[in-house]
Amino acid sequence: MSLLAALTSNPAPVKRAASMVAGVMARSLASATEKPPLAAHYPVTPGSLTAHLQLRSGETFTGGSFGAPVSTVGETVFTTSLVGYPESMTDPSYRGQLLVFTQPLIGNYGVPGRERDAFGLLRHFESEKIQCRGIIVGDYATKYSHWNAVESLSQWCEREGIPAITGVDTRALVHILRGQGSTLGSLNVGANKSESVEWVDPNDDNLVAQASTDTVRVFNPNGDVHVALIDCGVKYNIIRSLCAQGARVSLVPWNHNIVDELASFDGIFISNGPGSPAYCTETIEQLRQAYSVYQRPIFGICMGNQLMGLAAGINVYKLPFGNRGHNQPAVDLTNGKCVITSQNHGYALDDSTMPMGWDRFYVNANDGSNEGIRHVEKPFRSVQFHPEAKGGPLDTAHLFADFVNQVRAMKAAGVPAIADIVNNESVKQSATA
């Protein structure tokens, strides 16, 4: 049986994924318990402070501090990315999280400068600041070497107030996280670990509202098509990729009233973002109303995929430990082609049942989880992975060109943005009918 047939024959991919995850959890727990003790005390770099990572589940890892001498609490997650720590650390989707790098050596090429490109975006970072609350590495490189590096990873973390710990057995730590799922962690600097930790889950807050822009911002104002980009915590390379295709991009807040402005947009794009999509009720309602009358392309990435799914009536669930890295295989269900993708998400759509008019677009070849949806008639599509990468593979970068070219073609063909001529009141009535 082909890979595509195997992935499409089962009507309940979530159940299949749950079974696979259960096996991984059993093996991971066995591996983690075979190699005590879990708290390994490594030599601290001379002149540095001691740091401790404490998991809410009870495990403690001790190492050396190479970031800011502060303490923090966040959801402990891991990425399998081999390169791109400046991009990962500034990705708004990591907001509220303690980021574990499985790549053993981190910091060896330093941190680049803050040069901006032709669109006014930072060239080497995905936002204006570090978004994760702390980082955990196995071996921090105290000496860096790269032609465009201007400072060390330690200097960058210290300047931005981000704690960092080195000397952690990240393999044992990841076994724990894979076995029991992502958990809250406390990263503190000092000779002793914290005796009393206030465990505050960042996912209990609307992280999208924190990461989103407060005002409308326009990029590439001379573009020939006008795209509304709903900012749920957008990565700069998404903006750059749309602008590079010739689009004028209006970056709008996550809860912006796009329904009243549908006629002015040639296309709508929904970005990635941190935390749970359940808090974005205003965005979901705006999309639900847009579905009923908007006739031009709508596309979503990561959080955008989840919000488009929720607006269509699909449920969402939290993955045990998420998919984060640059090596996730996703299968295009329209042609059977498997692509390698960059991913960073902790939630997924439950596509075991699809609402009328919608179909699965991509599926994860590892765990069977949803990687995209599409409308069977209207030009509405979304993907869970990151076609803009930064860093990661570029197998699906063409999706930006596909989207903008479709927007351009429909505009040239005279397809109206909204069906017939409707006012805002009729939009609302059609959405609640």
Side-chain angles (χ1 to χ4, degrees):
M1 181 181 292
S2 68
L3 176 60
L4 177 61
L7 289 169
T8 56
S9 61
N10 191 336
V14 174
K15 292 182 180 180
R16 181 177 66 250
S19 176
M20 295 172 63
V21 170
V24 171
M25 291 173 66
R27 293 192 299 272
S28 299
L29 283 172
S31 177
T33 55
E34 286 170 1
K35 299 182 179 182
L38 293 176
H41 294 266
Y42 287 77
V44 177
T45 303
S48 70
L49 299 172
T50 301
H52 307 273
L53 172 67
Q54 299 168 244
L55 301 182
R56 192 175 191 178
S57 51
E59 300 85 359
T60 299
F61 295 82
T62 298
S65 168
F66 68 94
V70 297
S71 299
T72 190
V73 173
E75 181 185 17
T76 310
V77 301
F78 66 90
T79 175
T80 59
S81 305
L82 299 181
V83 296
Y85 55 83
E87 293 92 337
S88 293
M89 291 170 63
T90 53
D91 181 350
S93 291
Y94 280 118
R95 191 177 185 89
Q97 297 177 330
L98 300 180
L99 182 55
V100 181
F101 289 97
T102 61
Q103 165 70 3
L105 186 63
I106 296 293
N108 51 307
Y109 55 87
V111 177
R114 295 175 64 85
E115 296 89 0
R116 296 186 181 270
D117 63 15
F119 306 114
L121 302 166
L122 287 174
R123 191 180 301 276
H124 306 298
F125 304 98
E126 290 305 292
S127 67
E128 294 295 317
K129 63 181 181 179
I130 298 176
Q131 298 285 343
C132 59
R133 291 187 177 177
I135 60 172
I136 299 100
V137 308
D139 187 5
Y140 167 62
T142 57
K143 294 183 179 180
Y144 66 88
S145 177
H146 196 274
W147 65 269
N148 71 344
V150 298
E151 63 182 336
S152 69
L153 178 57
S154 175
Q155 291 170 324
W156 186 36
C157 287
E158 288 181 1
R159 181 165 52 80
E160 298 219 8
I162 303 299
I165 182 174
T166 181
V168 172
D169 185 348
T170 51
R171 185 175 184 275
L173 174 56
V174 169
H175 269 294
I176 295 171
L177 298 178
R178 284 177 61 88
Q180 66 185 20
S182 299
T183 185
L184 293 182
S186 170
L187 181 54
N188 69 287
V189 178
N192 302 311
K193 66 179 184 179
S194 298
E195 296 299 329
S196 178
V197 178
E198 183 179 356
W199 298 107
V200 178
D201 190 344
N203 292 304
D204 290 339
D205 294 330
N206 187 345
L207 297 177
V208 165
Q210 297 176 17
S212 177
T213 182
D214 294 326
T215 59
V216 176
R217 302 175 60 193
V218 178
F219 297 87
N220 194 33
N222 296 321
D224 65 323
V225 289
H226 188 195
V227 173
L229 174 52
I230 301 176
D231 181 10
C232 299
V234 67
K235 291 174 62 181
Y236 277 173
N237 205 39
I238 291 178
I239 304 174
R240 181 183 295 110
S241 297
L242 290 170
C243 292
Q245 293 299 324
R248 173 190 176 189
V249 177
S250 288
L251 185 70
V252 302
W254 69 280
N255 57 352
H256 187 76
N257 187 351
I258 60 170
V259 171
D260 287 348
E261 303 173 9
L262 286 176
S264 65
F265 299 129
D266 302 316
I268 299 172
F269 206 102
I270 309 97
S271 82
N272 65 294
S276 170
Y279 289 98
C280 301
T281 55
E282 295 169 79
T283 315
I284 295 167
E285 180 58 28
Q286 289 284 314
L287 289 172
R288 185 178 293 120
Q289 294 184 36
Y291 286 167
S292 63
V293 295
Y294 196 67
Q295 300 190 123
R296 291 181 179 174
I298 301 178
F299 196 92
I301 286 178
C302 197
M303 174 67 76
N305 178 60
Q306 296 161 26
L307 295 179
M308 287 186 65
L310 286 167
I314 306 172
N315 293 323
V316 69
Y317 66 99
K318 197 174 193 308
L319 294 165
F321 47 81
N323 286 326
R324 300 176 178 90
H326 297 165
N327 56 353
Q328 288 287 329
V331 177
D332 183 343
L333 297 179
T334 66
N335 58 24
K337 180 180 179 180
C338 184
V339 291
I340 303 303
T341 66
S342 177
Q343 301 195 13
N344 177 13
H345 60 274
Y347 293 81
L349 292 176
D350 179 358
D351 63 4
S352 56
T353 58
M354 295 292 291
M356 183 177 296
W358 291 85
D359 203 354
R360 294 187 297 162
F361 190 11
Y362 283 85
V363 63
N364 190 294
N366 283 342
D367 62 13
S369 61
N370 178 267
E371 292 288 356
I373 59 174
R374 63 183 180 88
H375 197 280
V376 297
E377 296 178 351
K378 298 180 180 181
F380 305 160
R381 300 187 301 168
S382 59
V383 294
Q384 187 60 56
F385 50 83
H386 286 267
E388 84 286 353
K390 199 73 174 179
L394 301 175
D395 293 27
T396 56
H398 64 87
L399 290 175
F400 286 98
D402 294 347
F403 170 74
V404 175
N405 287 338
Q406 186 179 35
V407 168
R408 190 173 284 122
M410 295 188 76
K411 179 181 180 180
V415 177
I418 52 180
D420 299 321
I421 299 176
V422 297
N423 55 39
N424 188 47
E425 185 61 32
S426 65
V427 171
K428 293 179 180 178
Q429 290 175 355
S430 66
T432 57

